[in-house]
Amino acid sequence: MSKSTASDGDDLGRPPRVVALGGGHGLHASLSALRRVTTDVTAIVTVADDGGSSGRLREELGVLPPGDLRMALAALCGDDEWGHTWSQVLQHRFRSEGDLHGHAVGNLLIVALWELLGDSVAGLDWVGQLLGAHGRVLPMSSVPLEISAEVSGIDPARPEELTTVRGQVACASTSGRVRSVSLLPGDPPASPQAVKAVREADWVVFGPGSWFTSVLPHLLVPELAHALVTTRAKRLVALNLSPQRGETDGFRPETYLEVLREHAPKLGVDVVLADSGTVEDVTPLMSVVGELGGRLELAELSRDDGTPRHDSDRLATALERILGTEGR
């Protein structure tokens, strides 16, 4: 596959168009950094969550699960008091003994707009306007999806035996090790706006985030996957700081890339960004990065509090250097 030829935006006299893929806390971290780097950010979000408030709304109303979409919007909120206040409102969860317990205000607001407008993307755009969002949030598919995973080691007596586990929560919390994932339905429709954003992007950013349930699903929606493989945009993969129990137990930094290649063998990668403190042996990582056609960038990305979370300032600095926007 030939290397991409998209401009990083400098030659065009505008900020780079960046599309960020994922869901949940990983995408929130990515967007919190990217909004400091460019004014043209589009988040494309997984729609397979079946737990908590999102799962209850999905089951009762048949809507897309709004939770990860809400978190992405909150991450892109305006910098003024108005934006921050509405971001807090969106993230607020009710605490009660009744049916509202655990529901996030933003989830209810998003679903209300969907019902009123009959258009999932328009509803998200309205919430974005309310927040003064620095970017746009789109679902990766126009229908709610279910994740199915092949998991080994659920029965300790048969460590190599594969078991099929269905549902995002079940996959993320399995006691075994996830080997591969697929989506149900198997040929889901992509959001047309998401496909368009990928095709027009200068950069596409994968991760960080739950690898099997937030990052890889984008490559399992056929039309979106085709756009990701054929886009002229440069592709950046931001690796996680630590393995996630069940999903990525025992993963080394290069394992994330090996799994990515297994699920999307035609996908090329231009840059892999990893935390320098989590890469004990750079040689195997550089080898896999080279096989994908990219280069490795190491930087100090984690917080100083001992938690395996990205520091927004450090991640923004690294992304700014890679995307070529220093001094903008």
Side-chain angles (χ1 to χ4, degrees), residues 103-324:
H103 273 305
V105 173
N107 289 355
L108 301 176
L109 176 61
I110 290 169
V111 172
L113 281 164
W114 286 346
E115 290 195 345
L116 286 170
L117 301 175
D119 186 323
S120 59
V121 171
L124 295 170
D125 285 343
W126 272 96
V127 178
Q129 290 182 55
L130 177 65
L131 290 167
H134 293 261
R136 196 180 192 197
V137 174
L138 301 169
M140 72 174 185
S141 175
S142 55
V143 299
L145 303 174
E146 183 178 25
I147 292 177
S148 177
E150 293 297 309
V151 180
S152 64
I154 290 183
D155 182 352
R158 300 182 178 86
E160 297 304 317
E161 182 178 78
L162 292 178
T163 304
T164 300
V165 175
R166 291 176 60 167
Q168 186 269 335
V169 172
C171 295
S173 59
T174 179
S175 60
R177 180 173 176 178
V178 178
R179 298 294 181 177
S180 66
V181 289
S182 58
L183 292 177
L184 300 171
D187 188 15
S191 164
Q193 295 89 341
V195 172
K196 184 174 185 288
V198 169
R199 295 200 179 283
E200 296 179 352
D202 298 309
W203 284 87
V204 174
V205 178
F206 296 84
S210 299
W211 214 245
F212 286 101
T213 55
S214 291
V215 178
L216 293 180
H218 294 82
L219 294 162
L220 303 176
V221 178
E223 191 177 1
L224 182 59
H226 180 70
L228 290 167
V229 168
T230 59
T231 180
R232 295 175 63 248
K234 295 179 181 178
R235 302 168 192 84
L236 182 148
V237 178
L239 298 182
N240 290 345
L241 299 177
S242 68
Q244 184 175 348
R245 182 182 177 274
E247 278 205 38
T248 54
D249 273 335
F251 269 36
R252 303 176 303 278
E254 61 271 17
T255 311
Y256 295 95
L257 301 176
E258 292 167 349
V259 170
L260 182 68
R261 182 172 54 189
E262 290 171 3
H263 285 77
K266 295 181 180 180
L267 183 74
V269 172
D270 292 273
V271 181
V272 173
L273 176 62
D275 177 60
S276 53
T278 63
V279 180
E280 297 180 359
D281 185 357
V282 73
T283 301
L285 177 57
M286 288 188 66
S287 176
V288 178
V289 172
E291 292 170 4
L292 292 172
R295 75 177 193 273
L296 176 64
E297 292 277 347
L298 294 175
E300 188 176 352
L301 302 173
S302 62
R303 297 187 181 184
D304 291 326
D305 58 6
T307 62
R309 293 184 293 173
H310 286 80
D311 179 272
S312 294
D313 290 332
R314 291 172 174 173
L315 183 56
T317 298
L319 290 170
E320 186 175 49
R321 183 183 70 252
I322 294 169
L323 273 60

